[in-house]
Amino acid sequence: MTSDDDDLKHHVYPVDDCSTPDALQLNARWARVRGRLQSEVGDVEYRTWLRQMCLAGVDGEEVTLTLPTRFLRDWVRGHYGDRLNALWHSEDCRIRRVEIRVDAEGCGAPDPTDALSTLVNPATAARQEGKLARPDERIADARPDMSAALDPRFTFENFVVGKPNEFAYACARRVAECPASPAFNPLFLYGGVGLGKTHLMHAVAWELAGAPDRDPACGRTSVAYMSAEKFMYRFIAAIRSQSTMEFKEHLRSVDVLMVDDLQFLIGKDNTQEEFFHTFNALVDAGKQIVVSADKSPSDLSGLEDRLRTRLGCGMVADLHATTFELRISILQAKADRAHMEVPHKVLEFLAHKITTNVRELEGALNRLIAHANLFGRPITLESTQEVLHDILKAHDRRITIEEIQRKVAEHWHIRVSDMSSARRARAVARPRQVAMYLAKQLTSRSLPEIGRRFGNRDHTTVMHAVARVAELIERDAGFAEDVELLRRMLES
Ligand code: ADP
Ligand code: MG
């Protein structure tokens, strides 16, 4: 294996039931044990004490883990030993004991839970070190690992379902339960950045890799998961090393091929062509394809028409932008998993402020939790504003003059065009003045700029409007309420 393969190690091999152990099933179990432990103890504790654990091997009833120092070993044994035993036993009924040894060398691979490092499958890493016996070593060597690693946190259990993603979730579940049923093949997941496409894909792969209770009618399943970028990279590497036949054969030998972020193939004609042939060969052979992209097949201009057509032939499911409710549920689930008390108003505040990307929402919450743990202080709205100062600033919404004009016109039932018209009737002139006032308050536009956007009016007209509205707010409580309501609507 070349060093280029280091982040391509995860491969999910045929999975049967609890009575046929193989290293990959073991690997999936180990990832789940770690994942569960992490969600039970929280990220901070996990990172402090547990993340350096490595799987060294399994011998009959005993699993052996390693930690780099005696201190860590004793601590983990004392505090988490029982939990490790129980989690392993629940994964594999034959395991009765977890032994922890000291091994200063570590796993020899980056920490799979470290967001910054490339995810590497721990079993593969251990195998490389010669620590883990695997029954199917020969087969594995003959078939180079193609897949990228799976994130142990990206499971169905950890995916919060709400209106915007329930359809995509149901489709992913369905494919995981019984791949290659024609109505769901290919499964095409699409949506904006950070809405859970990769999460759902990994969840499908985990499920297929590790579910001993899968419907036997669905048969044995091997899965290859990779990003489109990796697909291209592997393809080019195969051309260079004159091993394209092996590359093709390997890809065509899997039961489920999952390619993430397909939009990457736009403009990469040769790779697209190769993907198209692989795709056809697999679908024709009754194998499952799961693909994700940032747009629907019909909107992926730049992909060949014939590929777009085939991609749209199965099930196309989009992940819509999150709603406020879904964001609250995701935050709550993540706070619960970290065993952290986060006041509801803080969750609401975050869900209001960070609206586009779940990854950023998650990052903000993690930072709050880490901060609270570090200083032993509870999370409050004030501390949130302080700790997340930079993130919140970046997410401050830019309110546009058009938006203000639209909202104000709607509120007083006038036409938006009247914001720029020459009409001077009070019913039109007063809302126009309010819109100017709000434009001054809520945007960074100068008075002349604002004037221009209101039918080329002079800056002194804007000045007059601002002063007049301020005066009315002082005098008329009903009017003040209207303006305040508009401001809040625009700011939310
Ligand atoms: P995408 O691939 O669509 O860009 P990801 O799948 O990488 O997005 O998701 C970004 C982050 O947000 C991940 O950490 C993922 O676990 C989290 N996330 C997204 N949607 C959900 C959800 N519905 N429930 C829980 N976590 C989610
Ligand atoms: Mg992704």
Side-chain angles (χ1 to χ4, degrees), residues 341-361:
E341 195 69 48
V342 183
H344 206 263
K345 61 175 189 257
V346 169
L347 300 183
E348 283 174 26
F349 177 75
L350 291 178
H352 251 307
K353 286 283 182 188
I354 305 173
T355 54
T356 48
N357 185 328
V358 179
R359 192 176 296 120
E360 290 190 31
L361 198 60

Side-chain angles (χ1 to χ4, degrees), residues 154 158-160 165 194-199 334 358-359 362:
F154 290 1
N158 288 345
F159 192 81
V160 180
N165 59 26
L195 296 182
K197 300 181 294 293
T198 298
H199 189 136
K334 295 194 189 286
V358 179
R359 192 176 296 120
E362 212 175 14

